[in-house]
Amino acid sequence: MSTSTVSTKRLRQPIVVVLGHVDHGKTTLLDKIRGTAIVKKEPGEMTQEVGASFVPSSVIEKLAEPLKNVIPIKLEIPGLLFIDTPGHELFSNLRRRGGSVADIAILVVDVTEGFQKQTIESIEILKEKKVPFLVAANKIDKIPGWKPHENEPFLNSFTKQSPAVQQRLDNAIYNLVLQLAQLNFNAERFDRIKDFTKYVAIVPVSGKTGEGIPELLALLAGLTQRYLRTRIGFAEGPAKGVVLEVKEDPGFGHTIDVIIYDGVLRKNDVIVLGGINGVIVTKVRNLLLPAPLQDMRISKTGYRSVGEVYAAAGVKIIATDLEYAVAGSPIYAVESEEKIDEYKKLIEEELAKVRFQKNVTGIVVKADSLGALESLVDALEKKGIPVRLADIGPISKRDVIEAEMSAKEVEEYAIIAAFRVKPLPGVETGKVKLIYNDIIYQLIDDVEKYINDVRESRKRKTLDTLILPGKIKILPGYVFRRSDPVIVGVKVLGGIIRPKFPLINKEGKRVGEVLQIQDNKKSVDRATQGMEVAVSIKGNVMVGRQIDEGDELYTDVPKEDLEILFKNYKDVVTDDMKEVIKELIKIKRASDPLYGLGLQL
Ligand SMILES: Nc1nc2c(ncn2[C@@H]2O[C@H](COP(=O)(O)OP(=O)(O)OP(=O)(O)O)[C@@H](O)[C@H]2O)c(=O)[nH]1
């Protein structure tokens, strides 16, 4: 078969993913697309897939019929293949060398809320994986005053809204345009775009009423077949794919759900894929697709067996040795026995990029899939959290030992971040902190928070050991005890005093040490500017000799403490404390010319 030029190749169906912030309507939108497609299909048109839903072009054309003056499309692609599970977690497993198996993405944004944290994260991920996207501005039915027109094209429904409602929607869309501009994207409502290579298209939709879905589908189809021709040109050859999920199915044992993005996969093909304990080489025993006439999402056991599947497709593979298969691993069908080693090497290299052990001080990351592991490590390293060990599978003794090694250097790195994995039986984690979360971005937040908390508490502890600048005045008429220890009423003129802080007079002479502080007869562990408190002072000190009523005293801050204060705790240096420091420097320079040198006051 001649496949010499791209233009002669037939096109396969583009693979579409849905991403966006929690609750912005990903699932609802996908369900609506599927539902709309099922309603519009002719019997036999709707092929079933595993892990994905296929919307045939005939359905898209029918839906887009009223739009033919706005979006003139003649479809060459057979349809669109939507990955069924929306969100980061599964998307991360759609790995492909240098990018993603997904050809295009729908970024769902609640138009009434605008971009949120995960919308921005999604964009980052899409950028990194080089996946083009369009924005579905969802929930337009929530615009105040919106009159819904079930399943109609957005443009039809829009013209039927009052000018005030139209304006409200335009304002909301404009808000998205601004937010995208801040992220360096030109964006515009789809019907106002002339050059789709320069602008991100915003399609107003409602997952609830189905408005805008015709345009969404028409654009996905039109844009992919126009701009991604090379990528979606079908190659006749052994299948290339990715393991989406590893499952234990009743009756089948361990199976893998696979997305094939290129070539043909046949029964009895030899396949190679990544496993926890090394590369797996096995033979396809059976290929399963959901039985027809059922919504594949609810079909648990109703599979039918097929002899072959053509890209792009979602299919369940039955084979031996799949128990330790790794989700997110590439999977290749091998054309001949001699090529097995070549493919094995390819997969080993691919896996080694994500699973590693480095001789650095950092945390341990464990996950159940390659995609999740990769996303986690990337995100952690971007936040400046180094990773020492990254691996797939349950938490083992080795992981604990590695985390302990890091803890010797940096105590807060005694962490095992675990994504959907648990410790093996009998593995004790001891002092190592085990942080679980089943949501990637939350796990990252948890790790970051833990590290910051440990650092913060260490900082507080160290701060507590410093002698800080403070200045007090002994109030005339408030001498309660003249010696052993002295007890006087003082006013804090600036900075802070605490028990154990040594005191000096204006000449820089040591006069004793704060023993206790009482505020309204209650013992307190500090007094700050403006407070009037009773202070006991110990040391060889007597009122009338070393100190007297009306005297001003300073805390005797060692040079090193002052430096640490400025280096690590600048945030606790108040303006009044700064004034005290200036005076202290003058006093102390008489005996130490280097005191307070270089401080940025
Ligand atoms: N009015 C209105 N409500 C919607 C629309 N789309 C979704 N919703 C509602 O918004 C809520 C969240 O929708 P989901 O589809 O679960 O959102 P999701 O993004 O898949 O959420 P997660 O899977 O939790 O991330 C649900 O209560 C939906 O009914 C819409 O277009 N209009």
Side-chain angles (χ1 to χ4, degrees), residues 20-29 86 138-142 205-209:
H21 193 74
V22 58
D23 278 350
H24 278 199
K26 303 177 290 292
T27 307
T28 311
L29 189 66
N138 193 30
K139 307 198 187 182
I140 53 170
D141 61 287
K142 279 174 75 181
V205 298
S206 165
K208 191 171 166 198
T209 67

Side-chain angles (χ1 to χ4, degrees), residues 424-444:
L424 288 166
V427 172
E428 301 282 341
T429 49
K431 283 201 184 119
V432 172
K433 173 81 180 168
L434 200 50
I435 305 179
Y436 294 107
N437 207 310
D438 279 2
I439 298 170
I440 290 179
Y441 68 89
Q442 280 179 4
L443 180 55
I444 294 160

Side-chain angles (χ1 to χ4, degrees), residues 275-277 324-327 355 364-370 373 389-396 398-399 416-424:
I276 292 183
N277 309 317
Y324 296 110
V326 171
R355 305 171 75 179
V364 172
V365 184
K366 297 294 298 258
D368 68 336
S369 76
L370 215 53
L373 186 65
L389 174 81
D391 206 358
I392 312 280
I395 295 150
S396 65
R398 175 186 74 143
D399 302 328
I416 299 175
F419 180 76
R420 297 189 182 165
V421 289
K422 294 253 163 339
L424 288 166

